[in-house]
């Protein structure tokens, strides 16, 4: 009788342990997939001991890719996808997807292309139609870049550069190709560096055979070629083997040609700089060695910086775009604060522009909204809230932090080595 009772207790304990592991895994996986990244990181630290070794490996892979440590993330993934695993197909698809990104950051475009093919072939039923198009377009980029060496950034000393704002209020940075200097926009919101076709030819970029179709904010389809720059300079920093998307000149021309963009320095180059500070006067400082920071209030989602922003003590994930003149709020912000908003405001048309022209979206113009990043707070006199999504990021993120927030501080420091953003 005692043996039977003891066996029954053991079964109960095992079942309780299994249930705890399942509940912990599901909670963390849901937080990650709904892009509540900072809550995911906090909960992962609490729940780690309730997970199996394999489950820990999965979330370590997620965790390290968010913190811009693709090598560490990849070390956890390789042991899972190459072994007999009890993980679901959806989790394996996510791991392959992360591995694609890791290998792009590591400069192994061929492996990124190979894993893209695996996802499209073996995990197609777990991909939405729009995501499938993104995978297919990305595959064309990785295949086009497969023979190109890894991007390199060569810093010999601290660099200081005076940037200037253009007529749209965006920072322009001088870039030098073969002793000829041009102004390019400096934009964290650009997934990749971009250049007009005329400037790509003028600056002797190397064109690949790759061509993709990108969606503008208006829904217009933009044909985009894939090229790379052997070498160019930002101040005394040399950037080698950098990917550029090449678009027709008219696709970066606005207001009937009154405002034209030659090119954009995008997020992958900024990450490779490791740390940069931008002063209110437009002075860009890139130190030789990154400053150690413990804030950890920024993560990377694919090729987008995501910042931990607080509104009324509620932490939220915001996209971060130095190329955006104003801060925008998205549908998740409305969902969390709907009663407060609809009792005060009425819907109206929100107009804004991007590559391909202008577009109107129903939404709200909110007044005096206070947002905080760490201990840095700003009351924005007017902020537009979009009622429906235009771009994919607006489905999960609460907003996009723009220049109206950034400009309130003397200095903004982005530290991609320690994943922190600091305003002073």
């Amino acid at each position: 009788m005692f043996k039977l009772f003891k066996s029954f207790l053991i079964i109960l304990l095992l079942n309780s342990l299994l249930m705890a592991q399942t509940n912990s895994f599901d909670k963390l996986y849901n937080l990650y997939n709904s892009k509540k990244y900072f809550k995911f990181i906090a909960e992962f630290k609490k729940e780690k001991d309730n997970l199996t070794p394999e489950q820990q490996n999965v979330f370590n892979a997620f965790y390290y890719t968010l913190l811009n440590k693709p090598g560490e993330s990849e070390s956890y993934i390789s042991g899972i996808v190459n072994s007999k695993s009890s993980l679901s197909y959806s989790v394996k698809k996510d791991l392959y997807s992360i591995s694609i990104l890791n290998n792009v950051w590591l400069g192994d475009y061929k492996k990124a292309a190979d894993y893209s093919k695996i996802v499209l072939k073996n995990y197609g039923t777990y991909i939405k139609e729009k995501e499938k198009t993104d995978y297919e377009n990305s595959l064309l980029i990785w295949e086009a870049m497969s023979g190109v060496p890894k991007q390199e950034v060569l810093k010999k000393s601290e660099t200081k550069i005076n940037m200037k704002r253009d007529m749209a209020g965006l920072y322009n940075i001088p870039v030098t190709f073969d002793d000829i200097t041009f102004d390019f926009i400096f934009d964290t919101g650009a997934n990749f560096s971009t250049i007009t076709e005329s400037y790509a030819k003028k600056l002797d970029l190397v064109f690949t055979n790759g061509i993709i179709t990108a969606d503008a904010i208006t829904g217009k389809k933009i044909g985009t070629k894939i090229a790379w720059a052997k070498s160019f300079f930002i101040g005394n920093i040399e950037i080698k083997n950098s990917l550029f998307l090449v678009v027709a000149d008219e696709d970066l021309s606005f207001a009937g040609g009154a405002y034209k963009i030659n090119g954009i320095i995008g997020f992958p180059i900024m990450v490779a700089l490791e740390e940069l500070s931008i002063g209110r006067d437009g002075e860009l400082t890139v130190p030789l060695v990154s400053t150690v920071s413990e804030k950890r209030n920024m993560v990377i989602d694919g090729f987008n910086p995501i910042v931990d922003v607080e509104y009324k003590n509620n932490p939220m994930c915001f996209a971060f775009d130095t190329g955006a003149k104003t801060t925008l709020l998205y549908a998740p912000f409305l969902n969390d604060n709907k009663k407060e908003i609809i009792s005060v405001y009425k819907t109206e048309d929100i107009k804004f522009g991007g590559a391909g022209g202008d577009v109107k979206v129903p939404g709200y113009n909110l007044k005096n909204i206070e947002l905080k990043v760490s201990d840095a707070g700003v009351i924005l006199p007017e902020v537009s809230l979009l009622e429906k999504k235009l771009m994919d990021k607006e489905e999960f993120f609460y907003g996009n932090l723009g220049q109206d927030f950034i400009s309130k501080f003397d200095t903004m420091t982005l530290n991609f080595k320690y994943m922190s953003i600091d305003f002073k």
Side-chain angles (χ1 to χ4, degrees), residues 328-366:
L328 274 176
L329 301 175
Y330 301 145
F333 187 96
L334 176 61
N335 294 339
D336 278 14
N337 303 280
K338 194 161 191 175
K339 187 175 180 181
E340 168 196 341
I341 291 167
I342 64 175
S343 66
V344 177
Y345 302 97
K346 292 182 178 181
T347 57
E348 54 186 289
D349 284 340
I350 310 295
K351 180 181 176 181
F352 55 98
D358 295 329
V359 65
K360 291 181 180 179
V361 182
Y364 303 86
N365 279 314
L366 310 185

Side-chain angles (χ1 to χ4, degrees), residues 120-314:
L120 287 166
K121 181 181 178 181
N122 298 340
Y123 300 94
T125 56
Y126 299 92
I127 304 173
K128 296 176 183 176
E129 194 58 37
K130 175 62 173 68
E131 284 183 303
K132 185 180 178 183
T133 302
D134 291 340
Y135 276 105
E136 290 170 342
N137 267 337
S138 297
L139 172 57
L140 293 174
I141 298 175
W142 315 144
E143 285 184 323
M145 293 291 291
S146 287
V148 179
K150 179 183 178 181
Q151 177 180 271
E152 289 184 81
V153 169
L154 306 176
K155 295 189 288 185
K156 295 180 180 179
S157 62
E158 180 182 78
T159 298
K160 289 183 180 290
I161 302 166
N162 289 318
M163 297 193 296
K164 58 186 179 183
R165 291 188 186 273
D166 60 22
M167 64 184 293
L170 304 178
Y171 278 124
N172 278 239
I173 189 168
V175 298
T176 303
F177 291 79
D178 293 329
D179 298 324
I180 305 172
T181 300
F182 303 91
D183 285 340
F184 281 19
I185 286 175
F186 198 64
D187 186 5
T188 58
N191 291 159
F192 299 103
S193 297
T194 305
I195 191 170
T196 61
E197 191 158 6
S198 62
Y199 270 79
K201 291 175 179 175
K202 185 185 299 185
L203 303 178
D204 200 27
L205 266 63
V206 182
F207 281 78
T208 70
N209 294 324
I211 299 176
I212 64 170
T213 301
D215 291 327
I217 200 166
T218 57
K220 176 184 174 182
K221 301 289 184 182
I222 297 177
T224 305
K225 298 177 182 178
I226 302 159
W228 57 284
K230 291 181 180 179
S231 172
F232 68 94
F233 285 82
I234 296 176
N236 62 3
I237 302 169
E238 184 178 12
I239 294 104
K240 301 174 71 173
N241 312 319
S242 185
L243 165 65
F244 276 82
L245 301 182
V246 184
V247 300
D249 288 33
E250 58 266 26
D251 288 326
L252 287 181
S253 178
F254 306 90
Y259 177 60
K260 295 181 180 180
I261 296 172
N262 303 324
I264 301 169
I265 296 299
F267 188 56
I269 290 176
M270 296 186 193
V271 173
L273 295 175
E274 292 192 344
E275 181 182 341
L276 55 96
S277 294
I278 301 175
R280 189 194 292 270
D281 58 358
E283 184 178 65
L284 172 72
T285 302
V286 180
L288 181 61
V289 180
S290 298
T291 308
V292 176
S293 173
E294 299 298 329
K295 286 198 172 183
R296 300 293 195 276
N297 58 354
M298 183 168 63
V299 295
I300 291 180
D301 173 63
F303 300 99
N304 299 289
I306 305 300
V307 178
D308 189 9
V309 177
E310 185 179 292
Y311 173 70
K312 293 188 174 179
N313 298 317
N314 180 31

